[in-house]
């Protein structure tokens, strides 16, 4: 085994004097995964008959006006293809319609639906209503009017969420000081029936409203609804055989399989309850509960569906489960501890959602004070027209949401496709992905001060800033093509040398440790590990300390990895000297490690190549590499001298010339 201690020291020396060290390995580590082409029930399609509700955007025409619901709740009204859509942003039912016989009620244009189950297509527009409109503007007989985007003003009302009572979908919200709890249905004589319980100051009214057409409504009192626990719509449990732990390079890998279910598991994130039970979110809006994920055999069960393209799932210290979709932060509540989610409680919908197809929330982090941190995509195509150009002040931003869900404050903007992470000491990190106005893959820290930094992506420069906050460091694009989520390793036996590391996941299937020491340069090093699937997220098992990585690639965004989807556990198997500090003086680099090199360990001095190059931030996609003289190219240097200290815990490397540069890439080979 010859681990290539590829110290990719993308040292931002010219501006911020920081660095990246990346550890690579000559022996690539591959984890077997289930391909995207799992068994799929093509007759059911993206929207299944068992789905109780679907969170989605929806566009439809009412007269001359185009009506836009950016994060609606569509609910089936029976078995005859009638549907209704509630808009939490307006706190009212906006449209009732009849879908074409045997056809879905909306076009499959969302990011998840357009690629389901394994297509390679990008979403180009929001879903459109399909079929015959029966009613519009059910709560108010005045015509629908376009309104500014964003949630209902908190002082006038609030969307509370959904409870599944048996087979009944119950929507809950507050409006003008009164609480509403209602379910909807239809019969042969009526387009739409609302069963509503209205709680005011000391009074409770339960009524039924029947809408035959837009001009005829009848009302009558009814008995209060009996609340029951949710019906298990997906009772089947799937036994899954996992591969054995295998020693690959310096790590032990367990290749985890997905269940062979009619519904493909296109996993976006996972989290663990304190008892070790895993929860996996999927792009298609499902939540899977996994028992014994760290064992040779796991048991999978789908416990929720209908969520709006969730990209992140988190569990706090009290085992409260939070999911981030395009629409809101949702708390998933199992009211009777049977494993099935009964309540989808709105924690916060204060992060503004536009109709733009690339406006999705990428990641969620919970700070040590309980506040939530949300990263929002900011890509805006210059060729987009009409609705597809819709923007918002939260596009391309990191938004801090108060623990009570009411307050939402932008703490950093001007990002293209960011992910967010919060270290236990409260430091907030953000990654971004190369593209227009973003020259490579940067990592930022966001200060705790009230001043909001602007990070340079012009389409999300909402405040028209001219000063660009420089990154902590740039990863060279070939090492980290697309930065993804963050995770912190606790001190544990699964990673004796990597304990307390703050990690950055890469869509290239790579893992980086980020270090911001009090002395010396900030830097990052790449683990000697190459996953064979695009890793978007990761979580630490609460009992074993193992790291579980998960991710997928869809919709024309082809990863460089062998597989397009995967899940694997990782733990350390062989000790490795880990960089702990980097400093530079004159033409010399000093790298200190967390332990001395063993007698049988050494560095191949002749291979310690150093690359230095600069980047340019322009409206073009990415950036070329530029030498110190600003001509295209890189300054590559081989060491003049190389010495290991007497304590064998640090080494000094002298080069012909060191100078400030955007990227400082140093590779060391450990033998």
């Amino acid at each position: 085994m010859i681990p290539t201690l590829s110290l990719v020291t993308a040292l931002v020396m010219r501006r911020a004097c920081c660095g990246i060290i990346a550890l690579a390995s000559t022996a690539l580590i591959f984890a077997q995964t289930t391909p995207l082409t799992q068994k799929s029930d093509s007759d059911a399609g993206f929207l299944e008959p068992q789905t109780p509700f679907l969170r989605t955007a929806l566009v439809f025409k009412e007269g001359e006006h185009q009506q836009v619901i950016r994060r609606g709740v569509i609910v089936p009204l029976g078995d005859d293809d009638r549907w209704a859509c509630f808009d939490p942003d307006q706190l009212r039912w906006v449209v009732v319609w009849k879908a074409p016989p045997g056809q879905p009620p909306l076009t499959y244009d969302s990011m998840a639906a357009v690629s389901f189950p394994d297509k390679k297509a990008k979403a180009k527009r929001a879903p459109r209503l399909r079929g015959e409109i029966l009613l519009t503007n059910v709560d108010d007989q005045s015509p629908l009017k376009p309104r500014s985007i964003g949630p209902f003003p908190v002082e006038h009302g609030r969307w509370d969420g959904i409870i599944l009572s048996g087979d009944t979908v119950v929507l809950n919200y507050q409006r003008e000081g009164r609480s509403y709890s209602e379910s909807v249905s239809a019969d042969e004589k009526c387009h739409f029936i609302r069963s509503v319980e209205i709680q005011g100051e000391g009074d409770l009214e339960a009524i039924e409203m029947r809408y035959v057409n837009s001009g005829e409504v009848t009302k009558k009192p009814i008995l209060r609804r009996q609340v029951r626990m949710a019906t298990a719509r997906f009772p089947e449990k799937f036994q899954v055989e996992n591969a054995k732990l295998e020693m690959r390079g310096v790590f032990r890998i367990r290749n985890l399989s997905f269940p062979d279910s009619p519904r493909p598991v296109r996993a976006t994130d996972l989290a663990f309850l304190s008892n070790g039970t895993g929860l996996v979110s999927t792009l298609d809006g499902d939540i899977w509960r996994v028992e014994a994920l760290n064992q040779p055999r796991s048991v999978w069960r789908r416990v929720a569906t209908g969520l709006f393209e969730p990209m992140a799932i988190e569990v706090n210290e009290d085992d409260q489960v939070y999911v981030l979709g395009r629409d809101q932060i949702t708390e998933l509540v199992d009211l009777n501890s049977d494993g099935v989610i009964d309540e989808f409680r709105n924690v916060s919908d204060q992060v503004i959602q536009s109709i733009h197809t690339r406006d999705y929330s990428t990641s969620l982090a919970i700070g040590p004070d309980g506040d939530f941190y949300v990263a929002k995509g900011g890509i805006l195509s210059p060729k987009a027209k009409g609705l597809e150009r819709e923007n918002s002040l939260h596009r391309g931003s990191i938004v801090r949401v108060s623990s009570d869900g009411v307050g939402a404050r932008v703490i950093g903007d001007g990002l293209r496709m960011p992910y967010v992470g919060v270290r236990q000491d409260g430091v907030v990190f953000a990654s971004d992905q190369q593209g227009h106005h973003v020259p490579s893959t940067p990592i930022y820290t966001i200060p705790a001060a009230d001043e909001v930094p602007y990070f340079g992506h012009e389409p999300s420069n909402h405040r028209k800033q001219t000063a660009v906050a420089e990154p902590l460091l740039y990863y060279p694009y070939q090492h980290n093509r697309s930065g993804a989520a963050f995770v912190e390793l606790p001190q544990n036996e699964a990673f004796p040398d990597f304990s307390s590391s703050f990690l950055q996941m890469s869509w290239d299937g790579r893992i980086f440790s980020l270090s911001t020491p009090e002395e010396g340069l900030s830097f990052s090093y790449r683990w000697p590990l190459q996953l064979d699937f695009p890793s978007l997220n990761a979580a630490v098992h609460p009992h074993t300390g193992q790291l579980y990585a998960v991710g997928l690639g869809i919709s024309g965004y082809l990863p460089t990895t062998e597989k397009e989807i995967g899940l694997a556990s990782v733990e350390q198997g062989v000790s490795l000297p880990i960089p702990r500090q980097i400093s530079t003086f004159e033409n010399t680099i000093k790298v200190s490690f967390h332990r001395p090199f063993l007698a049988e360990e050494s560095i191949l001095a002749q291979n310690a190549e150093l690359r230095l190059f600069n980047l340019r931030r322009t409206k073009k996609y990415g950036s070329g590499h530029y030498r110190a003289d600003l001509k295209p190219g890189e300054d590559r240097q081989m060491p003049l001298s190389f010495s290991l200290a007497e304590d064998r815990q640090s080494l000094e490397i002298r080069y012909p010339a060191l100078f400030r540069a955007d990227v400082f890439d140093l590779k060391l080979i450990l033998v």
Side-chain angles (χ1 to χ4, degrees):
M1 177 200 73
I2 305 179
T4 307
L5 199 82
S6 169
L7 280 135
V8 179
T9 323
L11 206 69
V12 187
M13 297 179 66
R14 179 168 60 82
R15 298 190 179 115
C17 268
C18 331
I20 306 173
I21 300 181
L23 283 82
S25 173
T26 54
L28 299 184
I29 312 299
F30 292 107
Q32 295 177 359
T33 60
T34 305
L36 272 174
T37 53
Q38 301 175 77
K39 185 174 72 175
S40 175
D41 186 352
S42 58
D43 294 333
F46 173 72
L47 181 57
E48 302 166 291
Q50 306 97 313
T51 302
F53 63 86
L54 180 67
R55 297 302 310 265
T56 182
L58 187 67
V59 176
F60 68 95
K61 271 288 194 72
E62 195 229 0
E64 297 299 318
H65 298 288
Q66 190 172 47
Q67 306 300 336
V68 179
I69 299 97
R70 296 167 179 84
R71 39 188 173 189
V73 185
I74 68 169
V75 182
L77 300 180
D79 298 328
D80 63 347
D81 301 317
R82 278 181 287 184
W83 296 77
C85 180
F86 184 86
D87 185 355
D89 283 345
Q90 300 188 49
L91 294 179
R92 62 179 179 178
W93 295 96
V94 290
V95 63
V96 180
W97 76 102
K98 185 178 179 64
Q103 297 296 315
L106 72 172
T107 60
Y108 284 166
D109 288 314
S110 67
M111 184 71 76
V114 77
S115 64
F116 183 87
D118 59 357
K119 298 181 180 66
K120 305 294 187 298
K122 294 183 180 181
K124 296 181 179 179
R125 66 173 193 168
R128 265 56 175 177
L129 180 150
R130 302 178 76 233
E132 176 191 359
I133 294 177
L134 305 175
L135 295 170
T136 58
N137 203 22
V138 176
D139 288 348
D140 182 352
Q141 295 310 305
S142 62
L144 284 173
K145 296 181 177 65
R147 61 186 296 272
S148 60
I149 66 175
F152 208 78
V154 175
E155 62 270 21
H156 297 297
R158 189 179 191 276
W159 163 246
D160 290 329
I162 300 169
I163 292 179
L164 300 181
S165 177
D167 290 323
T168 303
V169 179
V170 181
L171 278 63
N172 299 282
Y173 56 96
Q174 304 168 42
R175 195 165 61 183
E176 303 300 342
R178 310 183 80 185
S179 298
Y180 292 75
S181 177
E182 64 175 288
S183 60
V184 293
S185 60
D187 61 22
E188 295 179 357
K189 300 179 180 180
C190 182
H191 290 321
F192 190 48
I193 302 171
R194 297 172 62 198
S195 300
V196 189
E197 295 179 7
I198 307 172
Q199 178 78 54
E201 293 184 3
D203 66 313
L204 175 65
E205 181 183 11
I207 60 173
E208 178 187 272
M209 290 177 275
R210 289 177 172 258
Y211 299 76
V212 176
N213 54 54
S214 58
E216 184 177 347
V217 184
T218 61
K219 300 181 181 180
K220 70 175 183 179
I222 57 175
L223 297 176
R224 291 195 63 186
R225 184 183 301 108
Q226 297 296 316
V227 178
R228 298 171 292 156
M229 299 301 103
T231 299
R233 295 172 182 263
F234 308 100
E236 185 176 1
K237 295 182 179 181
F238 296 87
Q239 301 282 339
V240 175
E241 297 287 340
N242 297 315
K244 296 180 180 179
L245 277 171
E246 295 184 16
M247 192 66 204
R248 306 270 184 93
V250 300
F251 292 98
R252 284 190 290 266
I253 306 292
R254 185 187 295 277
N255 307 314
L256 301 166
S257 300
F258 295 114
D260 186 21
S261 71
R263 180 81 158 182
V265 182
R266 302 199 296 171
T268 56
D269 196 6
L270 81 161
F272 290 101
L273 299 173
S274 59
N275 65 3
T277 296
L279 296 168
V280 175
S281 61
T282 78
L283 181 67
D284 304 309
D286 304 321
I287 302 296
W288 289 80
R289 184 182 178 96
V290 192
E291 307 292 346
L293 192 56
N294 63 321
Q295 299 298 321
R297 174 176 294 178
S298 302
V299 179
W300 290 64
R301 182 188 182 190
R302 185 152 52 129
V303 297
T305 193
L307 295 163
F308 197 172
E309 298 181 1
M311 291 293 292
I313 184 167
E314 294 288 331
V315 176
N316 69 5
E317 294 178 351
D318 298 321
D319 270 356
Q320 292 173 289
V321 181
Y322 300 99
V323 172
L324 177 69
R326 283 185 186 243
D327 50 349
Q328 63 186 42
I329 303 171
T330 303
E331 182 182 358
L332 304 181
V333 184
D334 176 8
L335 294 172
N336 62 341
S337 301
D338 66 349
V340 177
I341 303 304
D342 304 287
E343 183 176 1
F344 301 78
R345 184 180 299 161
N346 174 32
V347 174
S348 182
D349 58 0
Q350 296 302 300
V351 177
I352 300 172
Q353 177 65 38
S354 75
I355 199 68
H356 195 285
T357 59
R358 304 287 283 277
D359 182 9
Y360 54 87
S361 300
T362 61
S363 61
L364 173 69
I366 303 175
D369 58 357
D371 283 358
F372 301 94
Y373 295 80
V374 174
K376 291 280 289 179
I379 296 175
L380 187 65
S381 172
K383 297 181 180 180
K385 298 179 180 180
L387 286 178
E388 315 314 323
R389 283 195 61 82
E390 186 174 77
N391 212 334
S392 83
L393 294 178
H394 287 169
R395 295 285 317 273
S397 299
I398 305 299
V399 184
R400 182 173 182 171
V401 180
S402 58
S403 57
D404 61 8
V406 176
R409 180 173 65 91
V410 172
I411 61 173
D413 60 12
L415 293 157
R416 181 178 179 271
M417 191 53 65
Y419 281 73
V420 66
V422 183
R423 218 164 48 187
Q424 281 303 304
D425 60 4
V427 178
V428 181
F429 291 80
S431 64
D432 207 354
Q433 297 180 3
Q434 175 178 286
H436 302 285
H437 306 278
V438 184
S440 191
T441 304
I443 297 293
Y444 301 97
T445 55
I446 299 180
D450 291 335
E451 183 178 352
V452 178
Y454 164 63
F455 295 122
H457 182 245
E458 188 58 33
S460 48
N461 185 8
H462 310 298
R463 297 174 293 125
K464 305 304 179 184
Q465 300 294 295
T466 56
V468 177
E470 289 300 331
L472 181 73
L473 52 85
Y474 282 109
Y475 287 108
Y477 184 71
Q478 64 268 39
H479 291 295
N480 186 355
R481 190 162 67 120
S482 296
F486 300 86
V487 63
E488 190 164 10
L489 286 177
Q491 289 188 347
N492 64 60
E493 296 181 357
F495 294 97
D497 294 323
F498 296 89
S499 288
S500 302
S501 292
F502 189 69
L503 308 181
Q504 206 272 321
M505 309 301 294
S506 169
W507 196 60
D508 297 285
R510 295 170 179 173
I511 301 173
F512 298 83
S513 284
L514 280 165
S515 183
T516 57
E518 294 183 1
E519 297 182 2
L521 303 172
S522 296
F523 63 93
S524 178
Y525 59 86
R526 191 179 115 196
W527 283 22
L529 174 66
Q530 173 66 59
L531 300 171
D532 69 341
F533 58 87
S535 49
L536 288 176
N537 284 288
V540 178
H541 195 284
H543 298 164
T544 68
Q546 295 168 315
L547 183 71
Y548 284 76
V550 67
L552 80 163
I554 60 151
S555 299
Y557 308 102
L558 295 177
T560 57
T561 52
E562 180 182 332
K563 304 292 185 181
E564 296 178 9
I565 185 171
L567 172 62
S569 70
V570 183
E571 62 184 90
Q572 188 179 357
V574 174
S575 181
L576 196 68
I578 301 300
R580 282 293 178 260
Q581 189 174 350
I582 302 178
S583 56
T584 61
F585 52 95
E586 296 180 349
N587 291 335
T588 302
I589 301 169
K590 181 178 180 179
V591 184
S592 300
F593 296 82
H594 84 297
R595 67 157 175 81
F597 282 80
L598 303 178
E600 63 272 18
E601 296 172 337
S602 62
I603 296 287
L604 292 178
Q606 66 271 26
N607 291 91
E609 182 184 31
L610 173 65
R611 294 193 306 151
L612 297 168
F613 60 88
N614 294 304
L615 303 167
R616 290 179 182 173
R617 187 187 296 272
T618 70
K619 65 180 180 180
K620 295 182 179 180
Y621 195 99
S623 171
H625 293 182
Y626 300 92
R627 301 195 310 247
D629 59 8
L630 302 183
K631 293 181 180 180
E634 301 175 353
D635 291 293
R636 294 176 176 252
Q637 301 184 33
M638 299 306 296
L640 297 175
S641 65
F642 189 101
S643 61
L644 187 64
E646 288 187 13
D647 62 4
R648 299 183 62 82
Q649 198 163 342
S650 65
L651 57 88
E652 292 186 1
I653 316 170
R654 188 165 65 90
Y655 290 94
L658 289 183
F659 47 84
R660 294 185 178 275
D662 289 332
V663 178
F664 179 100
D665 182 352
L666 171 64
K667 180 166 66 175
L668 302 176
I669 297 180
L670 173 68
V671 294

